[in-house]
Amino acid sequence: MTAIRFGIRGTGSWAPDKRLTNADLSAMVDTSDEWIVQRTGIKERRILPPELTTSDMCVQAAQRALDDAGLAATDIDLIVLGTVTPDQQVPATSCKVAQRLGCESTPAFDLAAGCSGFVYASSVAAQFLRAGTYRNVLVIGAEALSRITNYNDRTSCILFGDAAGAVVYSTDFEYGELLSSSMQADGNGYDVMYQRAGGAQRPLSAERLAAAEHKLVIHGREVYRFAVSRMVELVKGEQANNPGLTLGAVVPHQVNLRILESAREKLGLASDRLYTNIDRYGNTSAASVPVALDEARRGGFFHDLDGQLVVMCAFGAGLTWGSVALKW
Ligand SMILES: CC(C)(COP(=O)(O)OP(=O)(O)OC[C@H]1O[C@@H](n2cnc3c(N)ncnc32)[C@H](O)[C@@H]1OP(=O)(O)O)[C@@H](O)C(=O)NCCC(=O)NCCS
């Protein structure tokens, strides 16, 4: 039996106009542009206005991906949304997105894998495409991280921004044939990044809200060590999965420029083969890889990579990590 082949048919992304610069943050907490740029590479991030929410960003990014793919919402067989900032805990934000795009009875669900949300969702999509169950799957990564960022905590508030990115994977694809993918998790790192209250373990109360227990807490140094080693492992893993191909580019989760540079050096990858846009968006968790992919593609980053391997990789809360290998 011939294996079913599939890849990317369209990409799209969207971010709010409002920019939160390092100078703005310096007026809010004890930090400086110099410290933030040196330690993270971030210059500004996008912040969602109060009247908009995660589903609004998803609809914008998804519609751009559908337009790019030349498909109607009714052509989509499945929607998977990677996010840790859904509009509400119940029901799934993806159902609202499906309805607003004009889908009819299309299955849709949210997937929470922290910053790995988009690559995890891509792996899920790949299973349905490879099995022949579906022909067109819309995968979205979107976060309104500003809604759960503690702007009194200088160790975390400098990192996060809001955005959404989307990819239509299809058996009738244009480029980026999806060859392999991976997903992994290690709950020993459950306490490295978390929201203390707001779930079943510690429901919200007035006291917990006042103590900002619904805001994100991160242990940055632990993430740092974990992210460098995982990124190297993930890229090497996809190279091993696809031995005949030259590694053309890596589109990583935009976690911190120093982390990305350190992994790039360990991989022996040329600097112009690693796509980064963290300076303009900060860390947008599940949105970061699809936003980077969309920008890179529209900007011509992949123009000379025909037939080469492009690896998307991410790592985040859980701890989770995962990758997707594409033949461009
Ligand atoms: C958060 C992060 C930028 C911190 O950088 P770092 O080099 O590890 O810095 P450290 O935490 O070791 O802190 C160094 C010093 O800077 C201080 N500091 C922390 N945040 C600061 C800020 N915004 N401005 C100025 N100083 C700051 C610390 O208090 C510490 O001071 P001390 O030495 O007097 O104790 C970095 O660890 C990181 O990016 N980690 C990844 C986090 C992430 O993105 N997680 C999201 C999920 S993937």
Side-chain angles (χ1 to χ4, degrees):
M1 202 175 77
T2 324
I4 294 175
R5 296 173 58 190
F6 53 94
I8 299 176
R9 186 172 166 126
T11 67
S13 59
W14 190 86
D17 291 335
K18 184 175 183 306
R19 289 167 161 79
L20 182 69
T21 65
N22 291 348
D24 297 332
L25 281 166
S26 304
M28 295 158 72
V29 289
D30 181 13
T31 190
S32 67
D33 176 56
E34 191 191 358
W35 193 95
I36 300 172
V37 171
Q38 197 183 57
R39 300 291 180 123
T40 70
I42 303 170
K43 293 179 180 155
E44 59 182 32
R45 332 85 196 112
R46 303 296 185 89
I47 304 295
L48 200 60
E51 67 276 14
L52 296 181
T53 182
T54 301
S55 59
D56 296 303
M57 294 194 287
C58 289
V59 170
Q60 294 288 344
Q63 191 57 59
R64 289 177 184 186
L66 285 172
D67 293 345
D68 189 43
L71 292 177
T74 46
D75 295 321
I76 296 298
D77 304 310
L78 169 71
I79 299 177
V80 190
L81 165 61
T83 188
V84 292
T85 47
D87 285 7
Q88 300 166 211
Q89 288 299 327
V90 182
T93 298
S94 51
C95 295
K96 190 198 277 187
V97 174
Q99 183 271 332
R100 286 185 54 194
L101 288 171
C103 297
E104 292 162 4
S105 316
T106 308
F109 63 92
D110 296 359
L111 180 159
C115 302
S116 312
F118 172 79
V119 290
Y120 260 56
S122 296
S123 260
V124 171
Q127 310 314 311
F128 285 106
L129 291 158
R130 190 173 289 120
T133 313
Y134 298 131
R135 285 178 305 148
N136 299 311
V137 181
L138 174 63
V139 172
I140 309 171
E143 301 292 5
L145 285 180
S146 64
R147 300 282 158 85
I148 58 167
T149 295
N150 184 346
Y151 288 101
N152 293 315
D153 173 14
R154 70 174 182 172
T155 65
S156 65
C157 73
I158 55 157
L159 297 169
F160 302 123
D162 303 333
V167 171
V168 177
Y169 291 105
S170 175
T171 49
D172 189 4
F173 60 102
E174 295 284 330
Y175 46 83
E177 179 174 4
L178 198 158
L179 299 179
S180 54
S181 63
S182 74
M183 301 190 288
Q184 285 165 286
D186 179 2
N188 286 309
Y190 193 79
D191 292 337
V192 172
M193 279 173 278
Y194 59 90
Q195 261 177 304
R196 187 141 188 258
Q201 178 178 288
R202 224 173 142 75
L204 273 182
S205 65
E207 280 167 2
R208 290 168 188 166
L209 263 178
E213 288 192 18
H214 58 304
K215 304 285 186 180
L216 266 181
V217 176
I218 63 154
H219 297 289
R221 272 185 216 178
E222 288 170 53
V223 178
Y224 199 104
R225 280 194 296 271
F226 154 76
V228 174
S229 59
R230 291 305 179 214
M231 180 167 155
V232 172
E233 265 175 45
L234 288 166
V235 175
K236 285 190 170 168
E238 294 299 1
Q239 285 182 286
N241 288 339
N242 302 283
L245 298 180
T246 303
L247 179 62
V250 175
V251 181
H253 167 46
Q254 307 290 309
V255 55
N256 171 320
L257 196 59
R258 280 197 303 153
I259 292 175
L260 300 182
E261 279 299 316
S262 167
R264 184 187 66 72
E265 279 172 23
K266 287 184 172 31
L267 286 164
L269 190 71
S271 55
D272 63 348
R273 296 294 91 205
L274 179 78
Y275 191 81
T276 62
N277 60 7
I278 188 168
D279 56 328
R280 291 176 287 121
Y281 295 104
N283 178 341
T284 59
S285 184
S288 92
V289 172
V291 169
L293 178 75
D294 182 52
E295 276 200 358
R297 189 184 70 77
R298 289 176 195 259
F301 181 74
F302 302 115
H303 80 277
D304 57 351
L305 296 187
D306 280 1
Q308 295 190 29
L309 189 66
V310 172
V311 176
M312 303 191 283
C313 56
F315 16 80
L319 295 167
T320 59
W321 60 103
S323 56
V324 175
L326 306 165
K327 182 181 173 188
W328 212 260

